[in-house]
Amino acid sequence: MHDNPTKTTPPTQCADGGMWTLEKARALHDAPFNNLLFLAQTVHRQNFDPNKVQLSRLLSIKTGGCPEDCGYCSQSAHHETGLRASKLMEVDRVIAEATKARDAGATRYCMGAAWRNPKARDMDAVVAMVEGVKALGMETCMTLGMLDLEQTARLKQAGLDYYNHNIDTSERYYSEVISTRSFADRLDTLEQVRQAGIRVCCGGIVGMGEDPVDRIDMLVTLANLPEHPESVPINMLIPIAGTPLAEAKPIEPIEFVRVIALARIMMPKSHIRLSAGRTAMTDEMQALCFFAGANSIFVGDTLLTADNPGEDKDTLLFRRLGIEPMELEAR
């Protein structure tokens, strides 16, 4: 006789109240697919409206020329991708783009710069961008690489809501993808951001040639942070010609959905963002991801330098699924 999944009590943290271990997380990940999705949807409904998805917009405020050698990235100066480096975007243009995003329904505006870390000369403009987007009534998010204490304090004072700094993969597999920055460097940056009182946005990328256990271990690292990241973006690799991962074998759709479901169960109150790679997903795959607990997406035609489904396509999918955009959270 098969176990009845309705007898399983959805955990709000690790089921026994302790830290997540690889063994505990793997047991969930490897459960029968229907049981895993049932549990993930139950946890999701305990913490969120299951038919609302938060909409974010991402803008590259400084593209290309990054000194890091991340194997997946078109913006690395180490790779011959044909992408030309640009200067930091002017503040007025950023605010104009954010205004259009807000008017199209986005409640969070994310700004990314291809830096290892910001230089002192760039901080005045970055702070002005944060203040300008906040004045529009939107949540603000920045991803600028590593930060020092003074830079973190300035971003907090400017009103930055979220700082994105992904760990990308498991600690074991990390060195297979990146050599110019350590896994510990990423964790140190996250701790510094948290200590400053800025909310953390942190997730990773799947489909980079890692084993399933690496995906699980990545989520164990995130779920065992002192506080769960408020946003957890799960990216499906977009292979870019000229990068070391250009020929990486795609992750199977059901395996990707398992990652989304596990993230939802392990971090029940976090926004799980279905991020890069949606152009390669069918509507049915995205619907499964939403059922598994994804409740945030990026809207707009591009994500930094990669394609993203257009807003018309997302609107049509939402209408078919009965999903509505999530309103801005009250503070």
Side-chain angles (χ1 to χ4, degrees), residues 40 43-44 47-48 52-56 108 162 200-204 218-219 222-223 228-235 256-275 278 286 288-298 326 329:
V43 171
H44 188 55
N47 296 281
F48 294 98
K52 293 208 172 167
V53 170
Q54 188 265 331
L55 306 183
S56 297
R108 186 179 304 170
Y162 290 86
V200 170
C201 173
C202 184
M218 175 184 74
L219 296 180
L222 295 175
H228 292 164
E230 284 84 358
S231 285
V232 181
I234 304 296
N235 299 275
F256 184 86
V257 177
R258 283 187 181 275
V259 175
I260 296 291
L262 186 60
R264 168 51 65 217
I265 294 166
M266 294 175 70
M267 292 169 279
K269 297 185 182 299
S270 301
H271 284 82
I272 307 299
R273 181 177 296 136
L274 192 57
S275 296
R278 288 200 301 122
Q286 290 190 70
L288 272 178
C289 288
F290 293 135
F291 186 76
N295 64 338
S296 178
I297 63 169
F298 282 119
M326 190 180 294
E329 295 178 3

Side-chain angles (χ1 to χ4, degrees), residues 246-258:
E247 304 300 326
K249 181 181 178 182
I251 184 174
E252 293 289 336
I254 288 177
E255 293 306 305
F256 184 86
V257 177
R258 283 187 181 275

Side-chain angles (χ1 to χ4, degrees), residues 59-76:
L59 177 70
S60 179
I61 59 173
K62 194 279 175 190
T63 303
C66 182
E68 304 282 19
D69 68 353
C70 306
Y72 51 79
C73 188
S74 64
Q75 303 196 64
S76 171

Side-chain angles (χ1 to χ4, degrees), residues 57-292:
R57 182 69 73 96
L58 178 61
L59 177 70
S60 179
I61 59 173
K62 194 279 175 190
T63 303
C66 182
E68 304 282 19
D69 68 353
C70 306
Y72 51 79
C73 188
S74 64
Q75 303 196 64
S76 171
H78 295 259
H79 312 322
E80 297 294 335
T81 63
L83 184 69
R84 296 183 62 183
S86 70
K87 295 182 179 180
L88 183 64
M89 193 177 288
E90 295 180 357
V91 174
D92 288 348
R93 183 179 167 198
V94 172
I95 305 307
E97 293 295 327
T99 302
K100 289 191 288 186
R102 180 200 61 184
D103 294 346
T107 57
R108 186 179 304 170
Y109 203 66
C110 307
M111 294 159 275
W115 288 327
R116 176 178 171 83
N117 50 273
K119 293 182 172 60
R121 65 173 183 265
D122 299 314
M123 286 304 297
D124 286 347
V126 167
V127 165
M129 291 174 192
V130 173
E131 292 173 341
V133 175
K134 286 283 287 186
L136 297 174
M138 303 179 78
E139 290 181 328
T140 53
C141 181
M142 282 274 182
T143 179
L144 311 169
M146 295 184 289
L147 301 172
D148 62 32
L149 287 172
E150 181 182 355
Q151 291 167 341
T152 309
R154 288 196 67 187
L155 291 172
K156 171 61 178 176
Q157 186 176 12
L160 184 67
D161 296 297
Y162 290 86
Y163 194 77
N164 168 258
H165 199 66
N166 292 335
I167 60 172
D168 288 343
T169 187
S170 70
E171 185 171 10
R172 183 199 73 84
Y173 194 68
Y174 185 88
S175 62
E176 298 293 322
V177 181
I178 303 156
S179 69
T180 52
R181 186 192 312 182
S182 72
F183 195 79
D185 286 336
R186 292 186 181 263
L187 295 180
D188 289 344
T189 298
L190 293 175
E191 178 60 21
Q192 186 166 288
V193 168
R194 176 72 71 192
Q195 289 295 327
I198 300 171
R199 295 182 177 191
V200 170
C201 173
C202 184
I205 307 169
V206 299
M208 298 192 294
E210 75 282 348
D211 293 329
V213 68
D214 294 305
R215 301 165 200 152
I216 300 168
D217 200 27
M218 175 184 74
L219 296 180
V220 169
T221 297
L222 295 175
N224 282 337
L225 291 173
E227 295 180 46
H228 292 164
E230 284 84 358
S231 285
V232 181
I234 304 296
N235 299 275
M236 188 170 76
L237 178 71
I238 301 174
I240 303 293
T243 65
L245 293 175
E247 304 300 326
K249 181 181 178 182
I251 184 174
E252 293 289 336
I254 288 177
E255 293 306 305
F256 184 86
V257 177
R258 283 187 181 275
V259 175
I260 296 291
L262 186 60
R264 168 51 65 217
I265 294 166
M266 294 175 70
M267 292 169 279
K269 297 185 182 299
S270 301
H271 284 82
I272 307 299
R273 181 177 296 136
L274 192 57
S275 296
R278 288 200 301 122
T279 51
M281 299 179 190
T282 65
D283 286 353
E284 292 78 12
M285 181 179 172
Q286 290 190 70
L288 272 178
C289 288
F290 293 135
F291 186 76

